[in-house]
Amino acid sequence: MSSQSCAAPLRAVDEVVVDPDGTSAAARKRVTRDDPYLVGHYPDFTIYPGVFQLESVIQTARELIGAPARLVKIRSLRFTAPLLDGDELSIALTLSEDLVAKTLVVKARCTRGDGTAAASMILEFAR
Amino acid sequence: MIEHGDIKSILPHRHPVLLVDRVLEVRAGGRIVTVKAVSGSEPCYAGLPDDAPAEAYDFPASLLVESFGQSGALLWLHTMRAGDGVPPGTLIFAQARDCVFEGAARPGDVLRHEVRIETLKPNNVFLTGETYVGDRRIASMGSAMAVIRETDSLSPAPASDPTAAAAAVNSMGETA
C-alpha cells in the first residue's frame, strides 16, 4: 500500500476532483478484489463492504477538509445497492458548516457505474 | 463465550475482515458483548510513514462500524437460530443513524462492543449500542439496520459459480 496520512483500510478513492470553491468534490473508485480486506469479504464472491463506501466518502472529504479531519458523527447513512468486483463507484459530496454544532457537514451520494444509487450519507467532521 | 474460530461457523466474513475476536456474552433477542483487539499489525496500519503523528493511528471509523455491525449480525443470527431459524440469503448492512464518535482506539486498545436488538422482523433487524475501550466510551450507535437479501440478487455476471455463493451463505446457517 502506498504511503498514507492516516490509518485506512484501503485506498478508497482512485481520483478526486475538488471544485475551485472548495465546497464540493467528486471522486471515483474502482472496486477490486485485490484491495486489502476484500479477500475476506467474501471468500467466494466479492462485495465491497458498505462501510468502505463510507471510507470512500471520508477520504474524499479529507481532500476538502484536510488529512487529519476526524469523523465525529454519522447523522444518516443508507446503502441501496451492492458493489461487486469491477464495479465503478462515483462519489459526489458537498461541504457546509453547522454553526451550532461547530462541525463541518458532508453530504454525499455514491453511484454505481450503471447509474444505480449505491449510498447516501450525511456526516459531521470536527472543524 | 464464543471463540474466534467458532465465529467463523456463524459469519461468512474471513481474515482480515472478520472484525470480531471473541463473543463474551450473548442472549438471544437481547444483547451481545464482543471484543476486537486493535493491533498495529493489521492491514489498515500498513501504509503509514514513520513520521506519522499519533492521531494517524486512530482505528478507522469505517472499520469500527464494521466491527460493531458484525457483532450485531452475530446477535441477530444467534437470535434467529434460537427461534424460527435463519432465512436464506446474505445479511447486508442497510442503514445507520445518529452514530457519534467520541474518541478513538489505537494499537494496543481492545474494542468492546455492546449491541442490543431494538426491533426484530423476519428479514431485518434494528440494532443499537456502544463501543468502549476499557471504561471509556468511544462510540455510540444510535440505530443500525441490517436486512437479509437473496443472494441471487447480489451475484455477479452469470460466469460466476452460483454454488460458491450458496456455500458462503450456507455458512451463515450452520449451527455453531
Side-chain angles (χ1 to χ4, degrees):
Chain A
M1 187 185 293
S2 58
S3 182
Q4 60 198 50
S5 56
C6 57
L10 78 169
R11 193 163 141 250
V13 292
D14 293 331
E15 185 187 326
V16 181
V17 176
V18 175
D19 284 356
D21 57 8
T23 62
S24 59
R28 24 172 221 91
K29 162 70 182 170
R30 181 162 208 87
V31 174
T32 167
R33 70 176 72 179
D34 298 326
D35 266 333
Y37 292 95
L38 281 252
V39 66
H41 197 283
Y42 298 102
D44 299 311
F45 67 105
T46 297
I47 293 188
Y48 197 61
V51 296
F52 284 3
Q53 291 196 60
L54 168 63
E55 182 67 30
S56 292
V57 171
I58 291 172
Q59 291 185 13
T60 307
R62 288 205 169 110
E63 293 293 321
L64 276 176
I65 299 172
R70 192 171 72 83
L71 180 71
V72 294
K73 187 172 188 179
I74 297 173
R75 282 193 193 168
S76 64
L77 173 57
R78 289 192 69 213
F79 301 113
T80 50
L83 293 161
L84 309 179
D85 185 36
D87 279 342
E88 184 96 4
L89 178 68
S90 295
I91 300 111
L93 74 81
T94 61
L95 179 68
S96 60
E97 248 189 280
D98 184 328
L99 296 170
V100 174
K102 295 187 172 52
T103 56
L104 295 171
V105 179
V106 168
K107 296 186 180 180
R109 293 200 182 281
C110 300
T111 309
R112 196 169 63 190
D114 64 356
T116 308
S120 61
M121 61 192 83
I122 303 177
L123 311 175
E124 289 186 33
F125 288 81
R127 292 205 86 265
Chain B
M1 197 132 75
I2 304 176
E3 296 294 337
H4 192 70
D6 293 329
I7 292 173
K8 291 182 184 176
S9 66
I10 309 172
L11 290 181
H13 306 71
R14 288 296 177 267
H15 183 87
V17 80
L18 178 50
L19 300 181
V20 178
D21 285 340
R22 176 182 284 152
V23 176
L24 299 184
E25 60 175 82
V26 61
R27 189 166 46 86
R31 170 178 107 137
I32 193 170
V33 181
T34 66
V35 289
K36 185 247 176 307
V38 174
S39 170
S41 57
E42 29 194 315
C44 64
Y45 294 112
L48 288 174
D50 290 350
D51 60 355
E55 296 75 35
Y57 288 85
D58 288 354
F59 190 64
S62 58
L63 293 178
L64 190 152
V65 173
E66 177 65 19
S67 179
F68 180 91
Q70 289 178 18
S71 303
L74 283 164
L75 173 60
W76 186 82
L77 288 164
H78 181 86
T79 300
M80 296 308 278
R81 286 182 189 179
D84 295 337
V86 178
T90 309
L91 198 61
I92 303 284
F93 179 20
Q95 61 188 32
R97 304 195 70 82
D98 298 321
C99 302
V100 180
F101 301 92
E102 300 152 279
R106 301 229 175 123
D109 288 335
V110 175
L111 302 174
R112 184 176 83 256
H113 301 294
E114 298 183 6
V115 189
R116 300 174 293 284
I117 289 179
E118 277 189 315
T119 316
L120 181 63
K121 300 262 172 65
N123 278 30
N124 66 55
V125 61
F126 281 85
L127 304 158
T128 187
E130 302 82 28
T131 302
Y132 300 86
V133 172
D135 293 329
R136 183 170 60 100
R137 188 179 69 199
I138 67 166
S140 47
M141 309 300 181
S143 184
M145 195 261 276
V147 299
I148 282 273
R149 280 274 145 76
E150 292 289 336
T151 309
D152 284 349
S153 69
L154 302 170
S155 57
S160 70
D161 180 6
T163 60
V169 163
N170 286 340
S171 72
M172 291 173 62
E174 286 164 12
T175 309

